[in-house]
Amino acid sequence: MQQALTILQDTFGYEAFRAPQAEVIDTLVRGGDALLLMSTGGGKSLCYQIPAMIRPGCGIVVSPLIALMQDQVAALKQLGIKASFLNSTLTQDEITAIEACLRRGELDLLYVAPERLTQPRTLALLKSVTISLFAIDEAHCVSQWGHDFRVDYLALNLLHEEFPSVPRVALTATADARTRQEIVKNLALSNAEEFVVGFDRPNIQYRINLKTNPRNQLLQFLKTEHAKDAGIVYCLSRKKTQDTAAWLQQQGFKALAYHAGLPAETRAEHQRRFLAEEGVIVVATIAFGMGIDKPDVRFVAHLDLPKTIEAYYQETGRAGRDGNAATAWMVYGFQDVTKLRQMLDSAQGDEQHKRVEQIKLNAMLGFCELTTCRRHALLAYFDEAAAEQCGNCDTCLTPVETWDGTEAAQKALSVIYRTDQRFGVSHLVDVLLGKASDKISQFGHDQLSLYGIGQEHSAQAWQSVFRQLVAAGHVVADPERFGGLALTEKCRPLLKGQDTIAFRLDPVQKTSKKLSKAPLPDDIDVGIWEALRAHRRALAEVQGVPPYVIFHDSTLQAMAEQMPSSLAEFGALPGVGERKLEKYGDGFLQVIRQL
Ligand code: ADP
Ligand code: ZN
C-alpha cells in the first residue's frame, strides 16, 4: 500500500486517500473483485487507476460514453500516465498504433466502449497481452431496473468467463438495493467485496419552488446567483430545450440546446463547447449528462419535474463534482405531474413496470411538497440516515409555514367525489369558487351543494391543496380519465373527520438573495482569480483540452489563497503532482509574481 500512497502523492498530488479508496485499491491489487458505490465526485476513478498502474499489464476500463473516455484520458496524460482509448472516433491507423502500444506493454490504462470490448477481435487482442484489471464504469447500465439500461453491458459477464484470473471492479454512483443485486448477478460479481459510500453531496444546495413564471424565475436565479457559471437546464421536451436556449441567448447567456433529435454533429459540438469553454449553459433533455465529467458545473436547474427521485438525484448530482458550492434548483407545478402520467401511460411496457413508475413519480411529487429537510428525505430514500436538518436546502434555510388544511381537504375531496372523480384541477377549483363556465353549466355543477363553498381561499391556494393531496396519496391523477382526479382508500379517515392534515403554505415569490452562495470564498481577490483563470484558459487552448484538465477550480482556489512563491510551495498545492509541477509550475508562479 505504500506504493499506492506514493502514486497518490507524487502523480496525483493528493495527500491522503479518502474512504474507502485504500481498501478498494488493496482488494484489486491483491487480485480480488470489487463493487464500489460512491456518490459522484467521491473519487471512484483512482480506485482502478492506481491498481492498474501497480499491477503488471494494462487496465481495461469499460466506459459507455466517448466524451467521458476522451476527457479521462486527456486528464491522465496530463499526469504523465500512459493511457489511451479505443472508440469509433479514431481512424484505422490510430487504432493500429494504439493496439501496437498495447502489445508492446506500453499502456497502463486503455478505455474501451462495451460494444467494442465484446467483439471477438478485441477479446483475442486482450488475450494476447497481460491485463491488470477490468473496471466497469457506470455499472448500473447493466440493470434493467435502473434507468440507463444498455444492452451492450449485458455481454460483459463474459469477462468473468474469458478472463477468470483478472480482477474486476464495477463502479456506479446510483444504485438502490435492487439495481445493486442486478449488477452483482449480471456481471457475475457474487464474490466481489462491496464498498458503499454515502450518497450525500453536502456541497449541493437543494431548492425547489412552485412554478409561477418559470422563465422569469430561471432568469432571476441565474442573474443573482450564477451569472457567469456553467450549468445545465433540464426540460422535458425537445422543443422546450430549443425555445429556452434561444430565449436565454437573447438574455445574454451562452446557452446551447441538447437533445436526441439534434444532428449528431450539433450535439457533439454543443457538448464540446460545454466542456471547453467557460460559463456555457446547456439546455437539455435527459439525453444530456450521463458520463459528462465536467467538475465545475455550478448549477443544475429543472424546468420540469424528473420522473423519479433517482433521476433527480442523478441529474442534480452533475453539479459541483469538484466539491465547491453548487445549486440544484427546480420549479414544478401540477401540470408536470399530469403530463408525466400521460407520458408514462402511453409508453410501451408491461403493467407492472408502469405501476412501479407511477409509484416513483408519486414519491418525486411528495419530495417536492416536503415541509422538512430535503437532504434528509433524499438520503432516506436511499436508505441512508442523516441529520434532521442539513442547513443547506430551501426548507432548512427558509422553514416552511404550514396551515391546518383539514377542512379545506374535506371540501376538496368532496368536490372530487360529487363530480364523479373525472375532472381535472382547474374545473374542480372553478366549482369550489362558484365560477361560471360552459363546462359547469354543461354538467350542472352549479346545482351542487358544494358549488361556491370554497371562496375563503384563492384559486392558487386550492391548486396547492389538490397538489398536496396527490403528493400525500389521498388523490390520484387518473391517466385513463385524462388526468382527472380520483380518490384513494387513504382519504377515508380525512373525509370522515377522523384525521387531520397540515398543508405547506406556498411561499410567495421570494428573492433568492438570502440563499445565494458565491462559488468562491469571499476572501479571494477577483483580480487574482481571473488572472489565474486566464492563464489556465490559455494553457488549455494551446493543448485543445478543457481548462479543468489543466487544474481544477479547487487547485486554483488554493493557489489564490496561498499565493505560492516557489516551486516547492507550488508542488504542495492539492492537485499538483510531479508532472504538473514540472509543466505548469513556472508559468503560474510567474503570473502570481506579477500580481
Ligand atoms: P467520481 O468518478 O467518483 O465521480 P472522480 O474520480 O472523478 O469522482 O474524483 C472526483 C474528484 O476528486 C477529482 O477531482 C479527483 O481528482 C478528486 N479526488 C479523488 N480522490 C482524491 C483524494 N484522495 N484526495 C483529494 N482529491 C481526490
Ligand atoms: Zn435541509
Side-chain angles (χ1 to χ4, degrees):
M1 279 316 288
Q2 186 49 47
Q3 196 181 353
L5 189 62
T6 308
I7 295 176
L8 179 78
Q9 292 170 344
D10 295 353
T11 307
F12 289 91
Y14 297 130
E15 260 322 287
F17 284 116
R18 295 176 181 162
Q21 287 172 329
E23 288 89 334
V24 181
I25 292 170
D26 189 46
T27 303
L28 290 168
V29 168
R30 285 189 290 102
D33 296 337
L35 170 62
L36 173 59
L37 272 85
M38 192 185 214
S39 68
T40 305
K44 287 186 287 299
S45 334
L46 286 185
C47 296
Y48 58 81
Q49 288 163 350
I50 292 182
M53 292 162 71
I54 294 177
R55 285 176 61 89
C58 177
I60 306 296
V61 186
V62 185
S63 178
L65 284 189
I66 289 173
L68 178 84
M69 285 184 201
Q70 292 174 336
D71 241 43
Q72 290 238 0
V73 168
L76 288 167
K77 285 185 171 163
Q78 287 286 325
L79 299 170
I81 297 170
K82 293 168 285 177
S84 213
F85 58 77
L86 283 179
N87 66 32
S88 51
T89 64
L90 300 172
T91 63
Q92 194 50 50
D93 284 351
E94 288 170 322
I95 290 177
T96 311
I98 291 167
E99 290 182 356
C101 266
L102 177 68
R103 285 208 184 81
R104 289 196 300 269
E106 289 170 3
L107 287 179
D108 274 331
L109 282 158
L110 181 63
Y111 287 69
V112 189
E115 59 277 12
R116 179 176 294 263
L117 178 66
T118 50
Q119 283 167 11
R121 199 182 159 279
T122 317
L123 290 173
L125 169 70
L126 297 187
K127 287 214 162 155
S128 69
V129 299
T130 309
I131 305 296
S132 57
L133 57 80
F134 287 104
I136 300 152
D137 208 0
E138 312 285 356
H140 58 274
C141 291
V142 78
S143 157
Q144 267 154 310
W145 166 259
H147 48 289
D148 287 326
F149 175 61
R150 292 183 169 229
V151 173
D152 294 320
Y153 263 66
L154 281 181
L156 293 175
N157 67 353
L158 63 74
L159 295 179
H160 171 58
E161 289 145 27
E162 301 279 335
F163 303 88
S165 60
V166 178
R168 292 169 302 142
V169 55
L171 311 103
T172 176
T174 34
D176 53 22
R178 183 160 166 188
T179 309
R180 206 179 308 173
Q181 282 163 16
E182 273 195 68
I183 294 175
V184 170
K185 181 168 139 265
N186 292 345
L187 294 177
L189 280 171
S190 51
N191 290 326
E193 250 190 88
E194 285 196 20
F195 299 91
V196 182
V197 196
F199 284 92
D200 192 15
R201 301 286 311 281
N203 60 315
I204 298 183
Q205 182 174 93
Y206 296 103
R207 306 230 306 266
I208 300 181
N209 248 309
L210 217 55
K211 214 182 254 189
T212 49
N213 183 338
R215 280 190 175 179
N216 277 342
Q217 286 171 292
L218 178 66
L219 188 63
Q220 169 83 3
F221 167 66
L222 294 179
K223 279 191 169 161
T224 52
E225 299 180 46
H226 293 288
K228 285 183 177 171
D229 290 340
I232 307 174
V233 177
Y234 283 112
C235 307
L236 206 52
S237 75
R238 295 175 178 185
K239 182 169 182 315
K240 188 164 164 185
T241 64
Q242 277 172 314
D243 295 349
T244 308
W247 175 77
L248 281 173
Q249 281 167 12
Q250 285 167 10
Q251 305 296 322
F253 291 92
K254 271 204 260 178
L256 302 169
Y258 191 104
H259 60 74
L262 289 173
E265 312 84 72
T266 313
R267 282 202 315 252
E269 171 63 9
H270 288 183
Q271 176 164 327
R272 190 196 61 74
R273 288 190 55 194
F274 182 63
L275 297 174
E277 293 175 22
E278 289 175 338
V280 173
I281 298 174
V282 166
V283 187
T285 58
I286 47 166
F288 182 77
M290 196 183 114
I292 294 209
D293 233 343
K294 187 174 164 64
D296 53 357
V297 176
R298 294 269 68 85
F299 68 89
V300 167
H302 280 94
L303 285 179
D304 291 305
L305 195 68
K307 288 196 195 80
T308 63
I309 293 185
E310 285 92 334
Y312 173 78
Y313 177 79
Q314 195 172 48
E315 285 155 23
T316 55
R318 292 173 184 140
R321 275 166 168 262
D322 54 12
N324 294 343
T327 322
W329 180 95
M330 171 155 85
V331 286
Y332 80 103
F334 197 77
Q335 59 281 32
D336 292 355
V337 182
T338 316
K339 212 186 307 168
L340 281 173
R341 265 188 211 280
Q342 280 165 357
M343 276 170 67
L344 285 180
D345 207 54
S346 58
Q348 295 180 345
D350 58 273
E351 285 311 307
Q352 168 64 20
H353 183 70
K354 280 187 190 171
R355 242 180 41 115
V356 170
E357 301 275 295
Q358 300 276 352
I359 293 169
K360 289 189 167 191
L361 177 56
N362 261 357
M364 185 65 226
L365 180 64
F367 180 74
C368 294
E369 295 288 346
L370 277 178
T371 53
T372 51
C373 174
R374 297 208 194 270
R375 189 180 315 274
H376 181 87
L378 197 55
L379 294 175
Y381 187 81
F382 294 111
D383 298 321
E384 194 174 315
E388 290 294 328
Q389 300 257 310
C390 75
N392 196 24
C393 73
D394 56 351
T395 54
C396 281
L397 291 165
T398 325
V400 180
E401 288 175 59
T402 58
W403 55 288
D404 179 3
T406 310
E407 197 189 318
Q410 285 167 347
K411 288 182 181 174
L413 295 170
S414 305
V415 81
I416 294 173
Y417 184 72
R418 294 277 170 217
T419 55
D420 298 329
Q421 311 193 51
R422 49 193 281 232
F423 292 93
V425 174
S426 58
H427 181 71
L428 297 169
V429 172
D430 284 349
V431 176
L432 283 165
L433 293 177
K435 291 229 172 115
S437 79
D438 288 351
K439 214 168 172 182
I440 284 188
S441 28
Q442 185 191 342
F443 290 97
H445 288 162
D446 44 3
Q447 304 304 314
L448 294 172
S449 59
L450 291 159
Y451 184 66
I453 62 156
Q455 294 176 8
E456 72 276 27
H457 299 300
S458 68
Q460 238 182 351
W462 280 116
Q463 277 161 4
S464 160
V465 166
F466 282 110
R467 231 180 35 241
Q468 297 191 57
L469 285 171
V470 172
H474 294 296
V475 169
V476 288
D478 188 346
E480 275 167 21
R481 302 179 193 211
F482 306 103
L485 298 189
L487 304 183
T488 68
E489 269 305 303
K490 203 180 161 192
C491 76
R492 241 173 237 276
L494 250 181
L495 261 179
K496 288 188 182 161
Q498 294 161 347
D499 202 359
T500 60
I501 188 166
F503 287 130
R504 178 186 173 103
L505 190 63
D506 283 337
V508 216
Q509 190 73 38
K510 288 196 194 86
T511 58
S512 35
K513 199 124 200 199
K514 189 174 159 200
L515 299 174
S516 84
K517 268 202 172 174
L520 273 179
D522 293 338
D523 46 355
I524 289 188
D525 184 285
V526 179
I528 297 174
W529 175 247
E530 289 302 333
L532 294 174
R533 290 218 312 172
H535 185 59
R536 176 176 70 171
R537 197 157 47 231
L539 290 170
E541 268 164 24
V542 171
Q543 298 183 50
V545 295
Y548 56 79
V549 166
I550 307 291
F551 281 126
H552 278 187
D553 281 356
S554 48
T555 302
L556 241 52
Q557 234 179 72
M559 231 179 269
E561 275 161 9
Q562 299 172 22
M563 300 289 273
S565 58
S566 68
L567 281 175
E569 283 175 27
F570 193 85
L573 295 171
V576 181
E578 282 168 357
R579 180 65 171 251
K580 287 191 177 176
L581 175 64
E582 191 184 310
K583 272 173 96 169
Y584 305 129
D586 286 327
F588 275 97
L589 285 175
Q590 210 169 348
V591 172
I592 292 169
R593 246 174 255 134
Q594 284 165 1
L595 284 167

